[in-house]
Amino acid sequence: MRKSVIRKLPLLFFVLLFLLLAYNVMQMPGHASTAAPAYNDATAHYLEEAVSETGAINVIAAILADYRAFDTLGETIVLFTSIVAVASILKVTDKKTRAVDDHE
Amino acid sequence: MSFLEALLEHINYLGAVAIFVIGLHTVVTHSNLIKRIMGINIMGMAIFLFFVATGNVTGGRPPIVDGSENAEPFINPLPSVLILTGIVVVVSITVYSLSLVIRIYETYGTIDQDEISRMVKEEEEAQ
Amino acid sequence: MNDIIIKTIVRLLIPFIQLYGIFIILHGHISPGGGFAGGALIGTSLVLYTLVFGIESSKRKFSERVSEFAESGGIILYISLGLIGVFMAGSFLTNIDAGFPSGNAGSIFSGGMIPLLMIGIGVKVASTIITLFHSLIEEESA
């Protein structure tokens, strides 16, 4: 009986954490509208000028590949780095063991 | 009632917080490494949902400026663009940790965190 | 998996998945989607092929040479398009000011270099997904 209560304690902690975080997000501005603080001048500029400045009608593509093209370049480099990291873990050790086998 | 209305207004944020807590619970209470990686993924998705929800506009339309005279406002495109970067980073981290788990399994024969800690401790005591 | 139903269905399905991925990439600047979504679709279709027909058959279709070429090619396409901006307009990754044709807004030939960048991103993402999957699967079967 007591053991089961102790095992439930972490759950209580997570419920309290949820309530704390939920209380905090309830303080954020509700009414998802154009008056939200995230909908600022930069957004208005993108929505009004993107077509004439880039020629693409999809504003997300215009931001991704024109205004923030450096960001996307970094993103592709992250993909490249992940390939290198995975290969360095999974492939190199094989070669080392093979080299050891050759010596023997 | 105003409290229920407030709940409905923040339902995206509350959902994101719930998913985040579920992911954290998975990371903390499970000792299986694969399940922990899943938990980290779930936490990441919660952050993405939260971030995209800040750019939401009720009744808005996707930010494709096709020139049609429509009274509905566009949603905020900026959070969506930033989250595209985040998704790629989470995928990279997941694959990297999975490859580490493969190596751990080859070395210790298990992917249970508690057993690995016990084995490491026994090795240290044996030395 | 040696199930004839799965093999037949997948063989029928994969061309359509890849065609849809290419459609998503090429229409990235005029409709929702783009290089990441389309690249993920193409990469996932290759993952499906690997799951059904096995790693050896998939290696024959999409060998390491091809994946190396695709990974490097995607990022080199991206950087060389950026370098055109350096020479034509003085700053990296310049779009319209570097002389890329703006085109008719809303048609498929519009947006200057954005569709080309999307192709680079799509190739990169697709080859990355399939390479990572192959290296994880290979390790498991070895």
Side-chain angles (χ1 to χ4, degrees):
Chain A
M1 181 65 200
R2 249 186 77 199
K3 216 169 192 178
S4 69
V5 170
I6 288 172
R7 289 188 72 160
K8 291 251 168 61
L9 271 179
L11 201 61
L12 183 72
F13 169 75
F14 286 110
V15 170
L16 284 178
L17 183 67
F18 171 76
L19 289 176
L20 182 69
L21 290 174
Y23 175 76
N24 277 307
V25 295
M26 291 294 279
Q27 311 298 314
M28 288 183 68
H31 279 304
S33 70
T34 52
Y39 210 93
N40 53 16
D41 293 344
T43 303
H45 177 88
Y46 286 144
L47 287 174
E48 281 161 16
E49 307 289 336
V51 177
S52 58
E53 281 180 3
T54 68
I57 61 169
N58 184 353
V59 180
I60 290 184
I63 298 174
L64 190 75
D66 192 322
Y67 295 108
R68 288 183 169 267
F70 263 118
D71 203 4
T72 312
L73 177 63
E75 214 167 328
T76 48
I77 291 174
V78 165
L79 283 174
F80 205 79
T81 316
S82 78
I83 291 179
V84 173
V86 170
S88 72
I89 289 179
L90 291 182
K91 299 243 162 101
V92 168
T93 331
D94 284 354
K95 266 182 194 156
K96 207 193 266 171
T97 49
R98 236 174 273 150
V100 170
D101 289 345
D102 287 347
H103 276 296
E104 283 169 359
Chain B
M1 197 182 151
S2 67
F3 179 68
L4 278 179
E5 276 172 13
L7 273 188
L8 274 180
E9 274 172 14
H10 296 83
I11 194 75
N12 289 332
Y13 302 136
L14 289 173
V17 165
I19 297 172
F20 183 84
V21 173
I22 288 169
L24 191 66
H25 183 265
T26 314
V27 171
V28 171
T29 57
H30 289 266
S31 61
N32 188 325
L33 290 175
I34 301 270
K35 284 183 183 169
R36 287 193 165 177
I37 293 170
M38 282 182 187
I40 291 171
N41 258 300
I42 293 170
M43 283 163 77
M45 291 307 143
I47 299 297
F48 299 159
L49 173 59
F50 183 82
F51 215 99
V52 172
T54 57
N56 184 33
V57 172
T58 311
R61 55 189 167 130
I64 292 171
V65 190
D66 49 5
S68 61
E69 287 301 318
N70 211 329
E72 294 156 357
F74 294 110
I75 64 151
N76 193 348
L78 206 48
S80 314
V81 175
L82 296 177
I83 285 314
L84 268 175
T85 317
I87 290 172
V88 169
V89 172
V90 163
V91 168
S92 306
I93 290 175
T94 307
V95 176
Y96 184 63
S97 17
L98 282 176
S99 62
L100 283 176
V101 168
I102 288 176
R103 280 279 167 250
I104 288 172
Y105 182 74
E106 279 179 3
T107 312
Y108 292 100
T110 176
I111 51 170
D112 194 280
Q113 176 77 61
D114 298 340
E115 279 184 41
I116 293 167
S117 312
R118 214 188 58 232
M119 285 166 126
V120 170
K121 206 181 250 175
E122 279 172 8
E123 270 179 25
E124 280 175 357
E125 281 170 5
Q127 276 173 6
Chain C
M1 270 186 272
N2 272 323
D3 196 337
I4 186 137
I5 298 174
I6 294 176
K7 280 191 173 176
T8 313
I9 294 288
V10 163
R11 205 177 281 135
L12 273 175
L13 215 56
I14 281 180
F16 291 102
I17 299 175
Q18 291 184 341
L19 188 67
Y20 187 57
I22 293 167
F23 169 82
I24 293 270
I25 290 176
L26 291 182
H27 285 239
H29 54 300
I30 52 179
S31 69
F36 288 102
L41 269 168
I42 295 177
T44 321
S45 77
L46 292 168
V47 168
L48 185 64
Y49 186 88
T50 312
L51 283 176
V52 172
F53 291 96
I55 179 84
E56 288 86 12
S57 153
S58 177
K59 269 273 158 83
R60 244 176 284 131
K61 291 265 179 198
F62 198 81
S63 65
E64 275 184 14
R65 258 184 81 86
V66 177
S67 71
E68 266 174 30
F69 188 79
E71 277 154 24
S72 314
I75 209 160
I76 285 172
L77 175 63
Y78 199 105
I79 291 176
S80 51
L81 280 167
L83 286 178
I84 290 175
V86 172
F87 293 122
M88 303 295 287
S91 60
F92 195 57
L93 286 165
T94 321
N95 188 1
I96 299 293
D97 292 342
F100 286 103
S102 167
N104 245 350
S107 71
I108 188 143
F109 293 112
S110 67
M113 67 172 180
I114 291 177
L116 298 171
L117 287 186
M118 285 296 178
I119 291 172
I121 297 169
V123 169
K124 174 84 186 128
V125 171
S127 62
T128 302
I129 286 179
I130 191 62
T131 309
L132 291 175
F133 187 71
H134 274 177
S135 40
L136 287 179
I137 284 289
E138 254 183 347
E139 194 57 35
E140 193 193 326
S141 59

